[in-house]
């Protein structure tokens, strides 16, 4: 099983990505993260450590594949300036059964949130501020400790 | 060693990267040295609990050793996803 991992500025077609995961699968589970339209946000800019993000997401994907029997896995994370309502991230997992599909999908998002080197900067007109990491993300990831 | 700074850290230091000629040392020792380079660095490294480091694109603890040819990155806790 070769995970498909892409870091890109362009938008993605979630339906097409899920369709591509169908061969050999009995269950598909997915998550899409969107830019929330909060408090007059005008844009969200996502920065990343290019040399490390691919490597880190590959590592997270390999961890998921070692814990659950998966037939396929796709992770797409966008970078650059995104407007409210835009898609940010897709995690899609294919497996024989729903148990592992749901679990792996949630695990991948929880680990991506605390490990993948991206940083979000919110723009409210002329004002910009960095999003702060949340301890609830660490708590969510800690649930998966073996 | 090549040093990279991201997000809020980059803004406080005022540069995204620099190359320093230093002997091998731990991440903690490098941070202590960087704090002597100016107020931007002091502000950037003020709270070590809100700091992450990577050596050659792998997360590194404060006691990890850095070789002279390594790439070291410093950044705030990540906020992707």
């Amino acid at each position: 099983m070769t995970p498909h991992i892409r870091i890109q500025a362009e938008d993605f077609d979630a339906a097409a990505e899920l369709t591509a995961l169908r061969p050999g699968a009995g269950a598909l589970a997915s998550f899409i993260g969107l830019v929330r339209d909060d408090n007059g946000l005008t844009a969200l800019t996502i920065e990343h450590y290019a040399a490390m993000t691919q490597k880190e997401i590959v590592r997270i994907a390999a961890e998921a594949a070692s814990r659950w029997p998966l037939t396929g896995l796709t992770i797409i994370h966008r970078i650059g300036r995104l407007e409210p309502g835009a898609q940010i991230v897709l995690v899609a997992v294919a497996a024989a059964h729903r148990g592992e599909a749901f679990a792996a999908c949630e695990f991948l998002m929880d680990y991506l949130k605390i490990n993948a080197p991206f940083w979000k900067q919110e723009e409210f007109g002329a004002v910009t501020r960095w999003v702060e990491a949340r301890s609830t993300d660490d708590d969510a990831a800690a649930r998966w400790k073996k | 060693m090549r040093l990279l700074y991201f997000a809020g850290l980059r803004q406080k230091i005022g540069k995204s990267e620099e190359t320093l000629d230093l002997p091998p040392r731990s991440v903690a020792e490098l941070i202590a040295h960087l704090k002597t380079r100016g107020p931007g660095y002091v502000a950037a490294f003020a709270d070590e609990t809100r700091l992450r480091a990577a050596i050659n694109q792998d997360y590194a603890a404060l006691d990890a050793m850095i070789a002279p040819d390594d790439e070291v990155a410093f950044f705030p806790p990540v906020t992707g996803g």
Side-chain angles (χ1 to χ4, degrees), chain A residues 98-110:
Chain A
R98 72 188 187 284
E100 52 263 30
F102 277 130
C105 188
E106 192 167 16
F107 168 88
L108 285 164
M109 263 316 295
D110 286 345

Side-chain angles (χ1 to χ4, degrees), chain A residues 47-49 51-52 55 77 89 112-121 130-133, chain B residues 4-8 10-11 50 54 56-59 71 73 75-81:
Chain A
E47 174 180 337
H48 74 310
Y49 180 3
M52 188 173 172
K55 186 176 179 181
H77 198 298
V89 61
L112 200 136
K113 292 291 278 186
I114 64 161
N115 288 315
F118 297 97
W119 300 274
K120 292 172 178 166
Q121 189 173 34
W130 292 99
V131 171
E132 292 283 308
Chain B
L4 303 177
Y5 308 116
F6 292 92
R10 182 193 65 249
Q11 287 189 322
R50 305 282 303 166
N56 299 329
Q57 302 94 41
D58 288 316
Y59 280 107
E71 174 175 289
F75 41 83
V78 302
T79 56

Side-chain angles (χ1 to χ4, degrees), chain A residues 22-43:
Chain A
R22 283 192 206 170
L28 301 175
S30 66
F31 172 83
I32 297 171
L34 306 167
V35 179
R36 278 188 302 276
D37 200 343
D38 272 349
N39 305 318
L41 182 84
T42 47

Side-chain angles (χ1 to χ4, degrees), chain A residues 8 10 14 20 22 33 43 49 51 63 72 81 83-84 96 109 114 116 126-127 133 142 145:
Chain A
Q8 62 190 45
E10 301 75 24
R22 283 192 206 170
Y49 180 3
E63 178 67 28
R81 192 170 181 278
E83 298 196 339
M109 263 316 295
I114 64 161
V127 177
K145 291 244 180 296

